[in-house]
């Protein structure tokens, strides 16, 4: 089983599960263009590795009444977020509070390669991913690389404890709004753990690289 298939089985999702194959979901959407429920199914199609072009094409195939509904307008904002964070795009700004209660921004790390890591203390796959990130950070932190952890926590104490327990020594921010995290919405994050790699000029150069795949990319960039 490859990494992407494995991750599909273990990620933290807010409201939906992968009970059908992707092909079955796509066929269901195409067969029901007048059903608002098709919007939710399109999001399932995207899952952990959402492809803007694929999801946008499915959405455009829905009846105009569905696309103009409240649910349609909300989903359209999600599509815009995906479009605005595609590889080659300038990463949207992030400013949230750090553990000291001070505002901290993605732009504070300009000039470095930055991994924006979306996670939460309550997400088991995120916590399982953390030891790998600790090793990655140890290897590359002195080579113009940083991590910005963006938490989908709601409770400060749990967030702070997880950072300490997992020895996450990089910068962390959150607005403590859970799935409604403003940065998560700007980046179209509907499942965690999820990350984006940003170059020193602030452009997105990769999405959802984990473990050795991430390390290999960083060695290539920072050699």
């Amino acid at each position: 089983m490859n990494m992407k298939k494995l991750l599909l089985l273990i990620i933290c999702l807010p409201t939906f599960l992968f009970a059908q194959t992707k092909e079955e979901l796509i066929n269901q959407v195409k067969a029901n263009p007048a059903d608002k429920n098709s919007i939710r199914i399109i999001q399932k199609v995207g899952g952990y590795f959402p492809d803007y072009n694929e999801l946008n094409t499915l959405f455009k195939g829905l009846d105009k009444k569905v696309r103009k509904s409240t649910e349609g307008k909300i989903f359209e904002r999600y599509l815009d977020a995906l479009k605005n964070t595609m590889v080659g795009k300038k990463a949207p700004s992030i400013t949230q509070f750090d553990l000291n209660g001070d505002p901290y921004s993605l732009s504070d790390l300009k000039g470095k390669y930055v991994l924006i890591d979306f996670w939460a203390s309550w997400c088991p796959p995120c916590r399982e991913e953390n030891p790998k990130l600790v090793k990655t950070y140890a290897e590359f932190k002195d080579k113009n690389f940083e991590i910005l952890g963006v938490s989908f926590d709601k409770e400060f104490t749990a967030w702070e404890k997880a950072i300490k327990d997992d020895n996450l020594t990089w910068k962390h921010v959150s607005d403590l709004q859970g799935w409604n995290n403003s940065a998560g919405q700007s980046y179209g994050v509907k499942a965690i753990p999820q990350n984006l790699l940003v170059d020193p000029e602030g452009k997105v150069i990769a999405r959802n690289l984990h473990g050795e795949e991430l390390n290999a990319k960083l060695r290539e960039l920072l050699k």
Side-chain angles (χ1 to χ4, degrees), residues 135-211:
K135 290 180 180 178
T136 296
Y137 191 60
E139 180 174 349
F140 298 103
K141 66 179 180 178
D142 297 322
K143 301 177 182 178
N144 206 40
F145 171 73
E146 274 297 336
I147 299 175
L148 180 64
V150 180
S151 170
F152 280 22
D153 275 278
K154 284 188 173 182
E155 301 294 332
F156 177 86
T157 304
W159 174 42
E160 182 181 44
K161 184 177 187 300
I163 291 169
K164 182 178 180 181
D165 289 351
D166 293 2
N167 194 31
L168 311 181
T169 57
W170 48 86
K171 198 71 180 182
H172 295 270
V173 297
S174 183
D175 58 11
L176 297 178
Q177 295 299 309
W179 286 108
N180 292 320
N181 182 285
S182 60
Q185 293 184 341
S186 295
Y187 281 76
V189 177
K190 297 289 187 183
I192 53 176
Q194 194 158 164
N195 64 52
L196 291 93
L197 185 61
V198 176
D199 73 9
E201 285 71 51
K203 287 186 178 179
V204 178
I205 54 176
R207 188 167 189 143
N208 290 327
L209 296 180
H210 297 273

Side-chain angles (χ1 to χ4, degrees), residues 4-216:
K4 290 188 176 182
K5 287 183 179 176
L6 179 61
L7 281 166
L8 280 173
L9 298 176
I10 62 173
I11 53 170
C12 289
L13 301 164
T15 56
F16 54 87
L17 297 171
F18 293 90
Q20 298 166 277
T21 67
K22 184 173 180 178
E23 185 179 8
E24 287 171 339
L25 292 170
I26 290 173
N27 289 338
Q28 193 172 341
V29 171
K30 290 181 176 178
N32 298 281
D35 186 351
K36 282 196 291 188
N37 191 51
S38 292
I39 295 172
R40 184 177 59 83
I41 297 170
I42 293 173
Q43 186 171 312
K44 285 186 184 182
V45 171
Y48 184 74
F49 296 93
D51 179 279
Y52 165 75
N53 291 320
E54 178 179 53
L55 301 191
N56 187 53
T57 297
L58 288 172
F59 182 69
K60 295 298 184 189
L62 300 179
D63 287 0
K64 184 176 180 180
K65 186 176 181 180
V66 174
R67 286 186 279 116
K68 296 300 181 183
S69 67
T70 299
E71 295 88 343
K73 290 176 180 176
I74 291 171
F75 191 75
E76 205 159 24
R77 287 202 293 271
Y78 166 62
L79 288 175
D80 286 343
L82 289 180
K83 184 178 181 180
N84 292 335
T85 53
M86 293 171 69
V87 171
K89 298 280 190 177
K90 185 167 179 62
S93 62
I94 296 174
T95 300
Q96 295 186 2
F97 292 106
D98 64 16
L99 289 168
N100 296 318
D102 298 320
Y104 192 84
S105 301
L106 173 62
S107 59
D108 292 331
L109 295 171
K110 190 173 182 181
K112 296 178 180 288
Y113 286 94
V114 181
L115 185 76
I116 306 169
D117 178 47
F118 293 96
W119 74 296
S121 67
W122 46 259
C123 166
C126 302
R127 303 297 293 275
E128 290 171 16
E129 186 76 13
N130 282 342
K132 300 173 190 174
L133 275 182
V134 168
K135 290 180 180 178
T136 296
Y137 191 60
E139 180 174 349
F140 298 103
K141 66 179 180 178
D142 297 322
K143 301 177 182 178
N144 206 40
F145 171 73
E146 274 297 336
I147 299 175
L148 180 64
V150 180
S151 170
F152 280 22
D153 275 278
K154 284 188 173 182
E155 301 294 332
F156 177 86
T157 304
W159 174 42
E160 182 181 44
K161 184 177 187 300
I163 291 169
K164 182 178 180 181
D165 289 351
D166 293 2
N167 194 31
L168 311 181
T169 57
W170 48 86
K171 198 71 180 182
H172 295 270
V173 297
S174 183
D175 58 11
L176 297 178
Q177 295 299 309
W179 286 108
N180 292 320
N181 182 285
S182 60
Q185 293 184 341
S186 295
Y187 281 76
V189 177
K190 297 289 187 183
I192 53 176
Q194 194 158 164
N195 64 52
L196 291 93
L197 185 61
V198 176
D199 73 9
E201 285 71 51
K203 287 186 178 179
V204 178
I205 54 176
R207 188 167 189 143
N208 290 327
L209 296 180
H210 297 273
E212 192 49 44
E213 192 177 12
L214 172 61
N215 294 339

